[in-house]
Amino acid sequence: MIKHFIFALCCLISIASCKTHKNSQLSEHPGSSTKFPLKNTNKKAKNIILMIGDGMGITQISAGMYSNGNSLNLERFLNMGLHKSYSSDNLITDSAAGATAFACGIKTYNGAIGVDPDTNAVYTILEEAEDKGLKSGLIATSTIDHATPASFIAHNKARKNYEEIALDFLKTDCEIFIGGGQKSFERREMDDRNLTNELREKGYKVVSFVDQEIDEIDMEGVEKLMYYTADGSPLPVSQGRDYLQPAANLAINHLEKSNENGFFLMIEGSQIDWGGHANDANWIITEMIEFDRTIGAVLDFAEKDQNTLVIVTADHETGGFAIQKDSKMDSLVTAFTSDYHTGDLIPVFAYGPGSEKFRGIYENTSIYNKMREAFGWVDKK
Ligand code: MG
Ligand code: ZN
């Protein structure tokens, strides 16, 4: 008994000293000292960057952290909460209803893209930002017309109507689109329109992955950009895809340029979810680490800028992912209870003006309301 107690005490001491060591390392990190205090401030957010790790539950974060030397940029956040992810027709949401909750502030049915349970179009925060004179952008590591990004800009009764959804990308002046799915814009079955040409006529610079890498794109004099990262779905990180962080940097640089009114940017790490559906822990972990690296770049900008609210969350957990006994930090033993989404509470991390609003436990739809409040949009939309 006493032996056990002494052993436990030694463990505690070594954990404590480890922590101190880690903190002293962290404080050397540029910008890590500028954390927003845990008290209410009235400062409004000029810009909001909403980062969605599709299917990113607590275990996905934990596995990513342990596999990344016990460290993630997510540890730089102080303000955290949990949201309830269920949809209007199912305790287990899908990504369409999940993203529509963030984009429109409503619970809707699984499969709905920016529409209510009666399939009526609902005004999104991105559309409102554009109408109020802010700039905006959407970045994904799925196709750009996939459920998560689509729910911010399109209105459709069914997420699978990709070619119809692609048409809605012509209805706003959103400044940045980066994602896969070139084929839905150029080789269409429902009509023979070429939406790439139509985007060009609307003033977009359109670039395909076939012609240029993201860091080769010349943004000089460019107002609006569509960058296709794949013809269909982009590759997983494990097969060489690595554009999320450079895409975020390009978008932020572009959106903050001669920017008087601010911007709204959504960045999705889309394939954490796909690793969960495939019950593939390595897929989850590699996508999680890429997403976190992008979070680091976004936080570096926000810490310098001090006018940007950064929110990191997920639409739902995928896979019922668990870290099991006999796991070690560098060799996890994992298991799954499902090849679909689960009903877990979902973490929310926030940094910057308005970040204190994201503490506590609330509905996923509250994220929409909290973002509008942070922008200072108190009027009825
Ligand atoms: Mg998604
Ligand atoms: Zn999914």
Side-chain angles (χ1 to χ4, degrees):
M1 187 69 190
I2 288 175
K3 259 189 191 164
H4 281 160
F5 177 73
I6 292 172
F7 177 71
L9 200 65
C10 289
C11 285
L12 272 177
I13 290 166
S14 67
I15 289 168
S17 62
C18 198
K19 259 222 145 103
T20 320
H21 179 60
K22 185 143 187 269
N23 283 342
S24 68
Q25 275 188 329
L26 260 183
S27 63
E28 287 161 20
H29 191 284
S32 66
S33 54
T34 49
K35 290 188 169 172
F36 275 78
L38 285 164
K39 63 176 167 41
N40 293 333
T41 60
N42 290 320
K43 185 171 173 178
K44 282 178 189 153
K46 183 181 177 196
N47 313 310
I48 294 183
I49 303 175
L50 173 62
M51 304 185 70
I52 302 174
D54 198 314
M56 182 188 74
I58 288 286
T59 310
Q60 283 76 2
I61 294 170
S62 311
M65 182 180 67
Y66 296 139
S67 305
N68 192 47
N70 194 22
S71 167
L72 285 181
N73 285 294
L74 278 172
E75 296 174 70
R76 292 160 67 181
F77 288 89
L78 285 178
N79 284 329
M80 292 157 61
L82 295 166
H83 78 68
K84 307 180 195 182
S85 65
Y86 62 89
S87 67
S88 73
D89 69 338
N90 205 313
L91 187 63
I92 313 303
T93 191
D94 82 327
S95 296
T100 299
F102 303 152
C104 306
I106 57 156
K107 296 266 185 189
T108 189
Y109 61 93
N110 286 3
I113 300 290
V115 297
D116 70 14
D118 299 319
T119 72
N120 299 307
V122 181
Y123 198 40
T124 73
I125 191 165
L126 185 147
E127 291 169 322
E128 188 173 6
E130 282 291 326
D131 288 346
K132 285 184 155 73
L134 283 76
K135 296 182 178 180
S136 65
L138 291 175
I139 302 173
T141 51
S142 61
T143 50
I144 196 66
D145 51 1
H146 209 256
T148 309
S151 296
F152 287 84
I153 202 160
H155 306 281
N156 202 289
K157 63 180 190 309
R159 59 182 287 170
K160 293 290 179 201
N161 294 335
Y162 293 120
E163 293 188 4
E164 285 178 25
I165 288 167
L167 291 172
D168 285 356
F169 282 71
L170 289 152
K171 292 181 180 160
T172 70
D173 285 310
C174 181
E175 278 76 11
I176 297 279
F177 296 125
I178 301 173
Q182 186 168 359
K183 64 180 179 189
S184 311
F185 290 78
E186 295 181 359
R187 296 193 311 283
R188 299 164 57 78
E189 283 170 18
M190 68 174 282
D191 55 40
D192 42 23
R193 289 168 68 173
N194 182 323
L195 305 187
T196 290
N197 291 342
E198 293 186 34
L199 283 166
R200 287 201 173 108
E201 280 157 25
K202 267 186 67 108
Y204 282 83
K205 176 177 178 125
V206 185
V207 182
S208 168
F209 70 103
V210 176
D211 300 316
Q212 275 180 324
E213 296 282 331
I214 206 145
D215 47 14
E216 295 168 347
I217 301 171
D218 181 8
M219 291 297 285
E220 193 62 40
V222 173
E223 196 191 329
K224 294 178 282 193
L225 173 76
M226 164 66 92
Y227 180 60
Y228 298 121
T229 59
D231 190 49
S233 295
L235 293 172
V237 166
S238 61
Q239 292 173 36
R241 190 201 77 239
D242 59 358
Y243 70 72
L244 194 58
Q245 186 189 334
N249 286 338
L250 178 146
I252 290 169
N253 286 340
H254 182 68
L255 295 173
E256 73 157 342
K257 220 184 324 172
S258 62
N259 169 13
E260 281 157 34
N261 298 324
F263 65 79
F264 175 81
L265 172 63
M266 194 289 296
I267 301 171
E268 186 197 20
S270 316
Q271 298 195 25
I272 302 167
D273 174 66
W274 302 359
H277 285 289
N279 285 4
D280 181 335
N282 183 58
W283 195 350
I284 291 172
I285 289 165
T286 49
E287 299 293 332
M288 183 66 224
I289 292 172
E290 183 209 36
F291 186 55
D292 183 72
R293 204 184 317 128
T294 310
I295 292 167
V298 168
L299 281 178
D300 289 346
F301 163 74
E303 285 176 342
K304 252 186 276 148
D305 180 67
Q306 292 295 300
N307 290 304
T308 301
L309 169 62
V310 180
I311 303 145
V312 182
T313 189
D315 42 5
H316 51 72
E317 194 275 344
T318 307
F321 190 36
I323 298 172
Q324 295 194 293
K325 73 181 166 94
D326 301 328
S327 285
K328 295 195 177 66
M329 194 83 85
D330 56 0
S331 63
L332 299 177
V333 179
T334 58
F336 294 87
T337 61
S338 172
D339 62 2
Y340 192 62
H341 311 154
T342 66
D344 289 2
L345 286 168
I346 296 300
V348 184
F349 303 82
Y351 175 86
S355 58
E356 70 285 346
K357 299 178 200 302
F358 292 83
R359 283 140 55 186
I361 301 180
Y362 39 82
E363 300 290 343
N364 57 357
T365 48
S366 296
I367 290 176
Y368 166 86
N369 300 109
K370 293 172 193 296
M371 289 193 294
R372 288 189 79 256
E373 279 171 34
F375 267 144
W377 297 350
V378 287
D379 54 311
K380 270 268 163 258
K381 45 166 180 153

